């Protein structure tokens, strides 16, 4: 029984040492430092917002804020709708170009 306890302690000690060495060598894998307080990484282009832009939105987390799942669901719905509208607009513009060039006549 004492041998088993000794093995467990040695394995734990080795694992802790490997973790510390890996943390010292590789760090936290952050390319940039944290954002300053009061700023956010939320960015949208001024014009031409696409569904991908909405999907890429990220909000600053606060103690008393929105539920992340609900925000993600709403952004997903908005992104789908923007994609649908962009496709519909492209089809209408293509049809208008065909009518303007006289290709729509039988």
């Amino acid at each position: 029984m004492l041998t088993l306890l000794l093995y467990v302690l040695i394995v734990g000690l080795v694992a802790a040492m490997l973790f510390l060495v890996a943390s010292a060598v590789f760090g936290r894998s952050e390319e940039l430092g944290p954002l300053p307080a009061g700023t956010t990484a939320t960015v949208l282009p001024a014009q031409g917002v696409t569904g991908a832009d909405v999907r890429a939105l990220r909000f600053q987390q606060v103690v008393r804020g929105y539920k992340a799942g609900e925000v993600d669901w709403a952004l997903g719905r908005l992104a789908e709708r923007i994609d649908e509208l962009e496709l519909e607009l492209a089809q209408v513009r293509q049809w208008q170009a065909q009518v303007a060039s006289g290709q729509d006549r039988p």
Side-chain angles (χ1 to χ4, degrees), residues 42-47 49-50 53-54 57:
T42 305
V43 178
L44 276 176
Q47 295 179 350
V49 177
T50 64
D53 294 328
V54 175
L57 278 178

Side-chain angles (χ1 to χ4, degrees), residues 5-103:
L5 181 60
L6 188 58
Y7 285 145
V8 170
L9 288 175
I10 290 173
V11 168
L13 183 62
V14 169
M17 289 173 45
L18 287 175
F19 175 76
L20 291 174
V21 169
S23 295
V25 171
F26 298 110
R28 292 174 40 191
S29 300
E30 292 181 8
E31 294 179 10
L32 299 174
L35 292 174
T39 61
T40 180
T42 305
V43 178
L44 276 176
Q47 295 179 350
V49 177
T50 64
D53 294 328
V54 175
R55 284 185 197 93
L57 278 178
R58 295 295 172 258
F59 297 96
Q60 183 178 14
Q61 294 182 351
V62 294
V63 176
R64 296 187 65 164
Y66 298 107
K67 288 185 178 179
E70 291 178 357
V71 172
D72 291 342
W73 173 81
L75 291 176
R77 293 278 312 270
L78 288 171
E80 289 174 11
R81 184 64 180 143
I82 288 173
D83 288 342
E84 290 173 7
L85 292 172
E86 288 288 335
L87 179 62
E88 187 177 326
L89 181 61
Q91 291 171 346
V92 168
R93 286 181 177 164
Q94 182 181 10
W95 176 78
Q96 286 177 336
Q98 289 176 351
V99 169
S101 66
Q103 294 178 359

